[in-house]
């Protein structure tokens, strides 16, 4: 049996870390670690967003939420500044951990640093890897979390969130988003956001 490639070793180790998430999600009658399920959805969307994603792009997309449960949002202040600080810290931690995993698997420090930068979404709109991470994250959010989220947020604020999300997405990701099945209420919010944005 041939040795695993650095890519296979890195992906296996990342999924081992994902699988340690104590939170669970039911998917097609099976209970999975939440983060492992989320990483799978990210990777599934990447196949639709980018025709031939590089290994580095695949690793970045797979790692975007890496060990996110270890740094809860509740440990940061309420409000936008607290949220943005938490999100920045999460990206930094996920990038650093992924870079260590990659180097242990046989990747160069340069490749590991490139993936960490994609995870932090540096160069969004210019760097294809950072854009792929953002596109997949937006699609996973719209597909799986938006309906519940929309019931917890004041309407006008929700419309602004959708407009901001849309503004970060590539044209291809926007096409895919419009093909998603949504509740009537959720689709109405999206349509309002796009017509007034």
């Amino acid at each position: 049996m041939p040795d695993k490639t650095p890519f296979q070793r890195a992906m296996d180790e990342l999924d081992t870390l994902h699988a340690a998430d104590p939170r669970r999600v039911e998917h097609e009658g099976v209970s999975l670690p939440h983060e492992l399920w989320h990483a799978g959805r990210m990777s599934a969307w990447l196949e639709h967003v980018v025709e031939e994603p590089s290994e580095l792009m695949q690793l970045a997309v797979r790692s975007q939420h890496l060990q996110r449960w270890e740094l809860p949002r509740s440990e940061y202040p309420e409000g936008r500044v607290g949220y943005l600080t938490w999100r920045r810290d999460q990206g930094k931690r996920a990038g650093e951990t992924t870079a260590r995993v990659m180097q242990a698997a046989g990747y160069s420090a340069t490749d590991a640093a490139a993936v960490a930068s994609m995870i932090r979404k540096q160069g969004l709109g210019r760097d294809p890897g950072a854009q792929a991470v953002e596109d997949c994250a937006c699609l996973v959010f719209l597909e799986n979390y938006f309906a519940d989220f929309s019931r917890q947020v004041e309407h006008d604020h929700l419309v602004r969130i959708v407009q901001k999300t849309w503004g970060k997405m590539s044209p291809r990701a926007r096409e895919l988003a419009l093909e998603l099945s949504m509740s009537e209420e959720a689709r109405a919010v999206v349509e309002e956001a796009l017509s007034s944005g």
Side-chain angles (χ1 to χ4, degrees), residues 62-74:
R62 192 78 173 184
S63 304
Q64 191 241 354
H65 267 205
L66 189 62
Q67 297 180 315
R68 186 166 276 215
W69 78 90
E70 291 189 351
L71 190 64
R73 170 70 181 91
S74 58

Side-chain angles (χ1 to χ4, degrees), residues 60-136:
V61 164
R62 192 78 173 184
S63 304
Q64 191 241 354
H65 267 205
L66 189 62
Q67 297 180 315
R68 186 166 276 215
W69 78 90
E70 291 189 351
L71 190 64
R73 170 70 181 91
S74 58
E75 291 186 9
Y76 287 74
E78 287 297 314
R80 181 168 168 72
V81 173
Y83 169 72
L84 291 175
T85 304
W86 170 74
R87 200 173 70 179
R88 182 202 64 213
D89 290 352
Q90 288 284 11
K92 185 171 182 287
R93 288 175 83 247
E96 289 170 352
T97 303
T98 303
R100 283 196 300 273
V101 167
M102 287 177 64
Q103 287 187 261
Y107 281 95
S108 69
T110 301
D111 283 348
V115 167
S117 179
M118 291 178 204
I119 292 169
R120 292 192 304 271
K121 300 179 193 171
Q122 290 182 304
L124 190 59
R126 299 185 311 277
D127 179 81
Q131 189 62 57
V133 171
E134 182 66 39
D135 284 346
C136 293

Side-chain angles (χ1 to χ4, degrees), residues 17-187:
L17 295 175
H18 287 316
D21 188 350
R23 303 166 301 164
R24 308 293 292 188
V25 63
E26 289 292 323
H27 179 69
E28 296 178 354
V30 178
S31 176
L32 295 170
H34 184 273
E35 193 177 282
L36 186 62
W37 168 83
H38 183 96
R41 293 308 307 142
M42 291 285 290
S43 293
W45 275 116
L46 180 61
E47 294 176 14
H48 299 283
V49 171
V50 178
E51 198 166 316
E52 290 185 16
S54 67
E55 285 186 6
L56 301 188
M57 197 180 283
Q58 291 178 64
L59 289 163
V61 164
R62 192 78 173 184
S63 304
Q64 191 241 354
H65 267 205
L66 189 62
Q67 297 180 315
R68 186 166 276 215
W69 78 90
E70 291 189 351
L71 190 64
R73 170 70 181 91
S74 58
E75 291 186 9
Y76 287 74
E78 287 297 314
R80 181 168 168 72
V81 173
Y83 169 72
L84 291 175
T85 304
W86 170 74
R87 200 173 70 179
R88 182 202 64 213
D89 290 352
Q90 288 284 11
K92 185 171 182 287
R93 288 175 83 247
E96 289 170 352
T97 303
T98 303
R100 283 196 300 273
V101 167
M102 287 177 64
Q103 287 187 261
Y107 281 95
S108 69
T110 301
D111 283 348
V115 167
S117 179
M118 291 178 204
I119 292 169
R120 292 192 304 271
K121 300 179 193 171
Q122 290 182 304
L124 190 59
R126 299 185 311 277
D127 179 81
Q131 189 62 57
V133 171
E134 182 66 39
D135 284 346
C136 293
C138 290
L139 287 161
V140 171
F141 168 72
L142 290 168
E143 176 190 44
N144 300 285
Y145 304 108
F146 181 61
D148 287 341
F149 182 77
S150 65
R151 289 189 280 271
Q152 301 164 21
V153 178
E154 184 267 328
H155 179 80
D156 289 347
H157 183 49
L158 185 63
V159 168
R160 288 192 298 275
I161 289 171
V162 171
Q163 289 169 340
K164 278 191 174 175
T165 300
W166 208 256
K168 295 177 188 174
M169 294 165 73
S170 69
R172 174 62 180 148
R174 291 174 186 169
E175 284 175 25
L176 293 165
L178 291 174
E179 294 169 7
L180 288 170
S181 61
M182 296 182 194
S183 68
E184 284 183 29
E185 296 86 352
R187 186 162 294 281

